[in-house]
């Protein structure tokens, strides 16, 4: 199992830059302009499947995104050079997110769902952009409603004059205003948004020996959380487990700063959906609930949430085995993923089975096998190495003794045959 798993991960890593890898990360992941262009093009691309001779759109509006697991994997790089020389390791660290598209109308996600894997950078970029937009809209509405309440003359005439007054009907300004003020004044209160470290960033710190450190995302709590860790290399591959990032963060005045996970923790929310794939017209929904639809019975076409479109386009897909009714069948951009769906499903299963620890090392029964390229070994590895060395020496000695006995026996037989002939 260990060998086949290693070969699978290595094979996936070897093809990381090729189109044949269904979940290969973008090559230009640190180029913000290219990332924005890719995002725009991805949003413009229709999500379709072929049903006989008729082309149909894949309808994701009945589904919602559910975070499942975060996992790091150390593997051999597919690029030339044979490894990350600056980090001192022959392996590189890949970061993956496993998520599901679950039926929004169901409380469980055990059938008619799709399971997907995507690199962490793509997942965090898409989900954080969505969560940031939701947060800004929420706080904008909250501030408007708060100001409206403060300026209310008690005659409630504002509701008639303000066509957007419906937004304030379900807004609790007594709690949302303080929450939004804390977010707006986060830095003044001594906090930094953890979402600023979702790419590997060099910390403004250097110790007495000239060592520099970097901050980047990693998995925690057996893959159920994403946190910001400290690393010793610019690729954020060598995790410094004894270091806390908050010990290396200071503002311009030299005062210590703390991390705020307010936004980042929404990307791995437990027991709830990350986002609905259906874009809801809240004003129309409010009017319908209160009988204010002005007899407008025309049904508008459902719109798919952009975050769902982007993640679905970018992810490796495992759908057939879960009965996903809207799954891909065949299309120019999907035919390769259809052919490799079994490989994707097997890889997702291997990550969920706990074959890797949170730093990306392969875990075997009874201990840990280190693949970091370093010279350190565990006690079990030392015992096994000693056992095999002594065993090899013993076998060699036994072979030599057996060879000697056979040679002497052959000479004695020849001597007896010679005497009989005489």
């Amino acid at each position: 199992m260990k060998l086949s798993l290693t070969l699978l991960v290595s094979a996936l890593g070897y093809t990381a830059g090729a189109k044949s890898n269904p979940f290969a990360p973008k090559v230009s992941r640190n180029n913000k302009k290219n990332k924005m262009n890719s995002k725009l093009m991805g949003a413009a691309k229709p999500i379709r499947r072929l049903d006989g001779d008729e082309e149909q759109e894949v309808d994701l509006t009945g589904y919602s995104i559910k975070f499942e697991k975060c996992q790091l994997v150390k593997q051999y790089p597919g690029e030339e050079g044979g490894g990350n020389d600056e980090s001192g390791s022959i392996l590189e660290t890949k970061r993956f997110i496993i998520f599901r598209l679950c039926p929004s109308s169901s409380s469980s996600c055990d059938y008619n769902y799709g399971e997907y894997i995507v690199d962490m950078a793509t997942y965090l970029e898409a989900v954080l952009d969505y969560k940031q937009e939701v947060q800004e809209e929420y706080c904008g509405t909250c501030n408007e409603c708060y100001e409206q309440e403060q300026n209310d003359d008690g005659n409630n005439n504002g509701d008639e004059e303000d066509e957007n007054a419906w937004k304030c009907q379900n807004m609790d300004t007594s709690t949302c205003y303080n929450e939004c003020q804390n977010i707006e004044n986060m830095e003044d209160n001594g906090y930094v948004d953890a979402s600023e470290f979702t790419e590997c960033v060099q910390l403004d710190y250097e110790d007495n020996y000239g060592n520099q450190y970097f901050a980047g995302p990693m998995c925690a709590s057996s893959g159920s959380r994403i946190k910001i860790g400290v690393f010793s290399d610019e690729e954020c591959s060598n995790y410094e487990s004894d270091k806390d990032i908050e010990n290396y963060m200071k503002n311009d005045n030299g005062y210590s700063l703390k991390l705020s996970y307010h936004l980042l923790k929404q990307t791995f929310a437990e027991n709830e959906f990350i986002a609905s794939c259906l874009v809801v017209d809240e004003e129309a929904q409010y009017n319908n609930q209160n009988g204010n639809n002005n007899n407008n019975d025309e049904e508008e076409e459902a719109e798919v949430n952009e975050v769902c479109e982007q993640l679905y386009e970018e992810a490796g897909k495992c759908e057939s085995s879960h009965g996903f009714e809207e799954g891909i069948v065949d299309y120019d951009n999907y035919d390769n993923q259809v052919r490799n769906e079994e490989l994707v499903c097997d890889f997702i299963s291997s990550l969920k089975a706990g074959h890797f620890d949170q730093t990306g090392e392969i875990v075997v029964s009874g201990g840990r096998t280190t693949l970091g390229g370093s010279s350190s070994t565990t006690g079990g590895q030392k015992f096994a190495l000693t056992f095999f060395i002594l065993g090899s020496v013993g076998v060699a000695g036994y072979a030599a003794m057996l060879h000697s006995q056979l040679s002497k026996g052959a000479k004695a037989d020849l001597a007896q045959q010679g005497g009989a002939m005489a």
Side-chain angles (χ1 to χ4, degrees):
M1 179 62 184
K2 179 180 71 176
L3 179 59
S4 61
L5 187 59
T6 305
L7 291 176
L8 174 60
V9 176
S10 300
L12 292 172
Y14 181 79
T15 57
K19 293 183 179 179
S20 60
N21 187 348
F23 40 88
K26 298 186 183 74
V27 175
S28 56
R29 63 183 179 87
N30 291 324
N31 187 316
K32 291 187 176 180
K33 181 177 180 180
N34 287 339
K35 284 165 62 177
M36 181 58 68
N37 290 338
S38 298
K39 180 180 177 182
L40 292 175
M41 291 300 294
K45 188 186 303 179
I47 301 178
R48 301 181 183 275
R49 68 173 179 176
L50 295 180
D51 189 1
D53 296 331
E54 182 181 358
E55 189 179 79
Q56 297 180 343
E57 290 188 2
V58 176
D59 185 8
L60 301 179
T61 56
Y63 295 86
S64 295
I65 299 173
K66 186 177 186 299
F67 173 88
E68 192 165 0
K69 186 174 184 179
C70 165
Q71 183 62 62
L72 271 59
V73 177
K74 288 189 176 180
Q75 61 186 51
Y76 293 101
E79 301 175 359
E80 295 182 0
N84 186 355
D85 295 332
E86 294 185 3
S87 67
S89 172
I90 62 174
L91 302 175
E92 64 181 6
T93 301
K94 296 292 185 182
R95 294 166 168 82
F96 295 107
I97 297 294
I98 301 172
F99 68 94
R100 290 183 177 183
L101 287 178
C102 302
S104 302
S105 59
S106 176
S107 59
S108 63
C109 192
D110 51 12
Y111 189 72
N112 184 21
Y113 70 90
E115 198 164 39
Y116 308 89
I117 184 168
V118 69
D119 63 284
M120 183 189 290
T122 298
Y123 177 85
L124 289 179
E125 179 187 9
V127 177
L128 284 173
D129 283 351
Y130 167 73
K131 292 295 184 180
Q132 183 69 44
E133 183 179 344
V134 171
Q135 179 176 281
E136 291 176 356
E137 184 176 348
Y138 170 78
C139 286
T141 301
C142 176
N143 291 334
E144 290 179 8
C145 297
Y146 180 81
E147 292 177 3
Q148 181 176 314
E149 287 184 359
Q150 298 302 309
N151 298 328
D152 190 1
D153 58 5
N155 296 323
N156 295 323
N157 293 328
D159 289 349
E160 298 179 3
E161 299 175 358
D162 187 359
E163 61 181 8
N164 294 322
W166 61 271
K167 294 182 180 180
C168 301
Q169 295 296 320
N170 297 320
M171 184 68 68
D172 184 2
T173 56
S174 63
T175 57
C176 74
Y177 184 76
N178 290 332
E179 178 186 353
C180 291
Q181 287 298 304
N182 288 334
I183 294 173
E184 183 177 350
N185 302 311
M186 182 181 298
E187 188 171 348
D188 293 338
N189 294 331
Y191 286 88
V192 175
D193 197 328
S195 63
E196 296 184 10
F197 298 94
T198 53
E199 292 185 0
C200 198
V201 179
Q202 182 175 342
L203 295 171
D204 187 17
Y205 175 85
E206 184 175 319
D207 64 17
N208 296 330
Y209 301 97
N211 296 319
Q212 296 178 331
Y213 297 101
F214 302 81
M218 63 174 296
C219 306
S221 302
S222 300
S224 63
R225 297 180 63 252
I226 301 173
K227 74 172 187 177
I228 306 301
V230 178
F231 301 83
S232 60
D233 64 299
E234 62 182 10
E235 297 297 329
C236 287
S237 293
N238 296 334
Y239 174 54
E240 298 290 332
S241 59
D242 60 337
K243 293 178 172 55
D244 188 341
I245 184 175
E246 293 186 352
N247 295 331
Y248 302 92
M249 296 194 311
K250 297 184 182 298
N251 61 15
D252 295 336
N253 298 322
Y255 292 102
S256 297
L257 296 172
K258 294 184 178 182
L259 278 183
S260 170
Y261 281 87
H262 174 77
L263 195 62
L264 185 60
K265 70 181 181 181
Q266 298 179 44
T267 66
F268 54 85
E270 188 177 3
N271 298 325
E272 65 181 73
F273 293 137
I274 301 298
S276 170
C277 294
L278 174 64
V279 177
V280 178
D281 187 336
E282 295 183 359
E283 182 177 6
Q285 185 181 54
Y286 174 82
N287 290 332
N288 288 333
Q289 291 175 349
N290 292 273
N292 300 325
N293 61 356
N294 297 324
N295 297 322
N296 184 12
D297 296 329
E298 183 178 351
E299 185 175 346
E300 296 184 0
E301 183 179 355
E303 183 180 352
V304 180
N305 197 333
E306 184 180 351
V307 64
C308 295
E309 287 186 335
Q310 184 177 358
L311 290 180
Y312 190 82
E313 288 286 346
E314 298 288 346
K317 301 168 179 62
C318 178
E319 298 177 335
S320 300
S321 59
H322 305 306
F324 189 59
E325 295 178 355
E326 295 296 335
I328 53 174
V329 177
D330 199 3
Y331 189 58
D332 290 343
N333 293 327
Y334 292 148
D335 56 350
N336 180 63
Q337 293 199 20
V338 172
R339 291 194 302 269
N340 290 286
E341 184 177 18
E342 184 177 354
L343 177 63
V344 175
C345 294
D346 289 343
F347 185 61
I348 291 177
S349 296
S350 71
L351 298 187
K352 292 170 59 179
H355 294 303
F356 298 88
D357 64 15
Q358 69 176 10
T359 65
E361 304 281 5
I362 290 182
V363 175
V364 295
S365 178
R368 188 179 74 176
T369 299
T370 301
L371 296 178
S374 62
S375 59
S376 62
T377 56
T378 64
Q381 291 171 330
K382 292 178 181 179
F383 172 79
L385 184 60
T386 303
F387 175 80
F388 284 119
I389 290 175
L390 294 178
S392 299
V393 171
V395 170
Y398 177 74
M401 180 185 67
L402 186 61
H403 175 73
S404 177
Q405 291 178 350
L406 291 175
S407 298
K408 290 180 180 179
K411 290 181 180 179
D413 289 341
L414 290 174
Q416 291 177 359
Q417 292 176 5
M421 291 176 63

